Amino acid sequence: ILNVEQSPQSLHVQEGDSTNFTCSFPSSNFYALHWYRWETAKSPEALFVMTLNGDEKKKGRISATLNTKEGYSYLYIKGSQPEDSATYLCASYSGGYQKVTFGTGTKLQVIP
Amino acid sequence: EAGVVQSPRYKIIEKKQPVAFWCNPISGHNTLYWYRQNLGQGPELLIRYENEEAVDDSQLPKDRFSAERLKGVDSTLKIQPAELGDSAVYLCASSLPTSGMETQYFGPGTRLLVL
């Protein structure tokens, strides 16, 4: 993996469904991974900062895991609600903290 | 606490015209970032400041883009002359001194359309 890739690009789920998506990043020179949520017409909002292999973070119904050896992170949303509708961005820091690269995002639409 | 402020929120200009964007970071945040987000892409870092110093401007197209952060607070990003391909969202973010651990706080962005 040379770039930061996110999948799927977009996702529609029914209210109450649980969902997850993936961020893949270069595992060499890994330093940190950030997750952001970006609602339409608002500013991107930070969700998690993750640095250690095996890290798990949780914020309400949203959680994330990190595998630095294989270069991926999963974001999980349990019991999706319409207010979870947003684009979820991950950003990888590598080479110390000198280089930050964002993924293209996963656009989530939760249907009431 | 006030967030990152950006202006204008929207700008429509004709190609070859100049344009400038302004950013006021969160008070006390030494690090300031300018990003460009093209449609369907993730934000791409243009320049990062630590106080007044531009410590990473490797992705800034220096033939037409310039930025400044006088006094280490507010920052301005300028494009002169603008081209059709510059249509994008320009995001400003700030954080405490960078180590990769600090959360970036983003402004709402300026949506630029070049006709």
Side-chain angles (χ1 to χ4, degrees), chain B:
Chain B
E1 177 184 87
V4 176
V5 179
Q6 286 188 251
S7 68
R9 291 292 306 274
Y10 305 92
K11 189 75 177 177
I12 301 174
I13 61 171
E14 293 189 345
K15 63 181 180 182
K16 300 185 183 178
Q17 294 299 305
V19 64
F21 315 124
W22 175 80
C23 174
N24 177 245
I26 290 174
S27 177
H29 282 191
N30 300 43
T31 307
L32 185 145
Y33 312 77
W34 281 105
Y35 292 91
R36 174 173 61 188
Q37 187 189 26
N38 293 310
L39 193 63
Q41 304 292 316
E44 173 196 20
L45 181 68
L46 292 174
I47 189 167
R48 174 168 64 93
Y49 283 95
E50 297 286 348
N51 299 304
E52 310 84 27
E53 184 183 358
V55 296
D56 183 359
D57 63 356
S58 56
Q59 300 300 313
L60 190 73
K62 297 181 184 63
D63 56 336
R64 298 182 299 106
F65 285 65
S66 63
E68 60 182 13
R69 192 183 184 197
L70 301 176
K71 301 181 181 177
V73 182
D74 295 359
S75 178
T76 303
L77 179 70
K78 296 178 182 175
I79 309 175
Q80 182 169 11
E83 296 179 353
L84 295 177
D86 296 329
S87 295
V89 176
Y90 291 83
L91 289 163
C92 178
S94 70
S95 71
L96 293 170
T98 305
S99 70
M101 306 285 285
E102 286 76 24
T103 295
Q104 292 186 36
Y105 294 84
F106 285 84
T110 295
R111 191 174 295 273
L112 174 68
L113 180 60
V114 182
L115 302 175

Side-chain angles (χ1 to χ4, degrees), chain A residues 1-101:
Chain A
I1 299 285
L2 298 179
N3 294 317
V4 178
E5 298 172 359
Q6 290 188 248
S7 62
Q9 266 193 318
S10 64
L11 192 55
H12 290 77
V13 301
Q14 290 292 138
E15 181 176 354
D17 286 352
S18 294
T19 188
N20 66 85
F21 20 94
T22 306
C23 171
S24 301
F25 53 86
S27 55
S28 60
N29 295 319
F30 171 82
Y31 192 82
L33 187 89
H34 293 223
W35 279 101
Y36 292 87
R37 173 170 60 200
W38 193 357
E39 295 178 64
T40 303
K42 293 187 177 179
S43 308
E45 171 198 0
L47 289 173
F48 305 114
V49 177
M50 309 177 81
T51 56
L52 300 176
N53 186 46
D55 233 357
E56 273 193 51
K57 296 274 175 110
K58 190 173 179 181
K59 188 176 184 177
R61 294 179 292 98
I62 304 177
S63 60
T65 61
L66 180 68
N67 183 321
T68 61
K69 295 187 188 307
E70 295 182 41
Y72 64 83
S73 175
Y74 293 139
L75 189 81
Y76 300 92
I77 303 179
K78 185 177 177 182
S80 303
Q81 299 296 309
E83 58 264 32
D84 296 328
S85 297
T87 295
Y88 291 81
L89 289 166
C90 66
S92 169
Y93 283 74
S94 61
Y97 55 83
Q98 299 298 338
K99 181 169 174 57
V100 57
T101 306

